[in-house]
Amino acid sequence: MRGLLLIMTEITRREWLKIGLTLGMTFVLPAFSYSERKTESKMKLGLVTYNIAKDWDIPTLIEKCKMIGLQGVELRTTHAHGVEPSLGKLERAEVRKRFEDSGIVLWGLGSVCEFHSDDRAVVKQNIETCKDFILLAEDVGAKGVKVRPNSLMEDKGIPVEKTLEQIGHALRECGKIAMDHGVELWLEVHGRGTSHPPYIRNILDYCSHPSVGVCWNSNASDIKNGSVAEYFNLLHNEIKSCHINELWNTNYPWRELFSLLKASGYDRFTLAEIPDSPDSERILRYYRALWMELIR
């Protein structure tokens, strides 16, 4: 004991400080590094072909995504890529191979299937079209099919809740087919009145099918008292895909949205859905730079 006391008295305060700092770095830094790794964003940046890529065929789309650093695409129907339910078996196989060989993810197919009409024949036709897109997604290797509500029918005297229920039941029918074919169905937060997130929540509750989720659409109607937190929390368990638009627009709380996505463990695509530009490649490079800052 006496020897230990002698040794301790020979160590200056400065030396004790050095020892303390060394020990602190030894034990604190690994915890800090772990925390950084733990909160690192796993989100990916992709592109919706509506509208900036509407005139790009598949080879052009793949080439530009590689050059710009975009990891995946959602192919919106009717655009120049030509990936539609009318494709034959060999053409579908070729689309699948092109994307698989390229390393660019064919994330989704952006249909315009909608189920709000007061005409049952129209709803039935949209269900059949949705099934066609599900089969197409399976064949070309897409993860999911985007659908949408597009309107309420109050102007025709139909109660809001009845329309929401109708949409939900149609989605359930489509969801059963999607599950059979290993495809997800994404309900876009979209439409006149139907873009209100609590209405989307109601639709999902009426649907109640595990293959059906949400495509967050970054609408002004997401915002309540300057924040998207309340409506995000209403839907976050079902968010399977995410559209983002003008990241320069300070009216939308982008940093809050990205923080919420990150905190929820979202590790899927955020897809740029922005207007066309004659300088599209340059615009998309700037867009990616802004996105990289938001996920930090």
Side-chain angles (χ1 to χ4, degrees):
M1 177 63 75
R2 181 176 295 178
L4 178 60
L5 289 172
L6 288 173
I7 293 171
M8 291 177 67
T9 55
E10 292 174 3
I11 298 176
T12 66
R13 290 185 178 183
R14 181 173 297 180
E15 288 170 327
W16 272 113
L17 179 60
K18 288 179 182 179
I19 293 169
L21 286 173
T22 302
L23 289 171
M25 291 179 70
T26 301
F27 293 106
V28 174
L29 283 181
F32 179 79
S33 300
Y34 171 76
S35 176
E36 287 294 301
R37 289 196 300 271
K38 186 177 179 181
T39 58
E40 183 181 355
S41 174
K42 295 181 180 179
M43 287 182 279
K44 305 171 185 68
L45 178 61
L47 178 69
V48 182
T49 60
Y50 185 86
N51 269 316
I52 197 165
K54 69 182 188 303
D55 298 322
W56 299 351
D57 59 17
I58 290 176
T60 303
L61 186 59
I62 288 172
E63 179 187 3
K64 288 183 182 291
C65 284
K66 283 184 169 181
M67 281 194 307
I68 296 161
L70 304 175
Q71 296 170 275
V73 294
E74 179 190 298
L75 303 178
R76 209 271 198 180
T77 185
T78 74
H79 290 171
H81 54 74
V83 180
E84 305 287 349
S86 57
L87 288 182
K89 185 176 181 179
L90 291 177
E91 293 169 308
R92 294 177 184 216
E94 182 182 353
V95 170
R96 185 181 191 121
K97 188 173 189 308
R98 276 183 180 274
F99 278 100
E100 288 178 347
D101 290 349
S102 72
I104 301 300
V105 176
L106 178 45
W107 178 240
L109 303 180
S111 82
V112 291
C113 297
E114 52 194 37
F115 313 106
H116 65 270
S117 176
D118 62 333
D119 185 335
R120 182 58 194 172
V122 172
V123 176
K124 189 175 187 303
Q125 181 55 59
N126 275 270
I127 290 172
E128 293 304 314
T129 301
C130 184
K131 291 177 181 177
D132 291 339
F133 272 98
I134 289 167
L135 296 176
L136 176 63
E138 179 185 30
D139 289 343
V140 298
K143 179 74 171 177
V145 173
K146 187 219 74 182
V147 297
R148 66 187 190 187
N150 208 27
S151 183
L152 297 171
M153 304 299 290
E154 291 175 289
D155 56 343
K156 295 193 175 183
I158 299 173
V160 169
E161 203 63 27
K162 183 173 177 57
T163 299
L164 302 180
E165 182 180 10
Q166 174 181 299
I167 296 169
H169 290 170
L171 278 172
R172 187 192 306 155
E173 185 175 341
C174 295
K176 291 175 182 177
I177 301 298
M179 176 172 277
D180 289 342
H181 293 274
V183 174
E184 295 179 355
L185 211 57
W186 305 324
L187 179 68
E188 187 176 18
V189 184
H190 185 274
R192 183 179 61 84
T194 49
S195 63
H196 185 47
Y199 288 165
I200 297 293
R201 176 72 267 162
N202 290 353
I203 291 170
L204 291 172
D205 290 342
Y206 280 121
C207 172
S208 189
H209 195 281
S211 290
V212 180
V214 167
C215 175
W216 186 266
N217 201 39
S218 304
N219 305 311
S221 56
D222 305 336
I223 304 170
K224 185 175 179 180
N225 299 323
S227 169
V228 297
E230 180 177 334
Y231 290 155
F232 180 91
N233 290 331
L234 197 63
L235 300 174
H236 80 271
N237 287 331
E238 284 86 8
I239 295 175
K240 304 298 183 185
S241 190
C242 179
H243 290 174
I244 52 178
N245 46 64
E246 301 287 15
L247 297 181
W248 55 262
N249 183 1
T250 55
N251 291 324
Y252 196 93
W254 291 112
R255 190 167 294 283
E256 181 189 40
L257 174 64
F258 276 69
S259 295
L260 289 166
L261 286 167
K262 185 176 179 181
S264 72
Y266 185 78
D267 59 359
R268 292 176 166 222
F269 275 93
T270 53
L271 300 151
E273 186 176 18
I274 58 176
D276 198 5
S277 167
D279 199 3
S280 57
E281 289 179 39
R282 184 166 174 267
I283 290 295
L284 285 169
R285 290 182 192 276
Y286 279 121
Y287 194 93
R288 183 175 181 274
L290 276 172
W291 182 87
M292 292 292 291
E293 282 300 306
L294 285 166
I295 66 166
R296 287 177 60 182

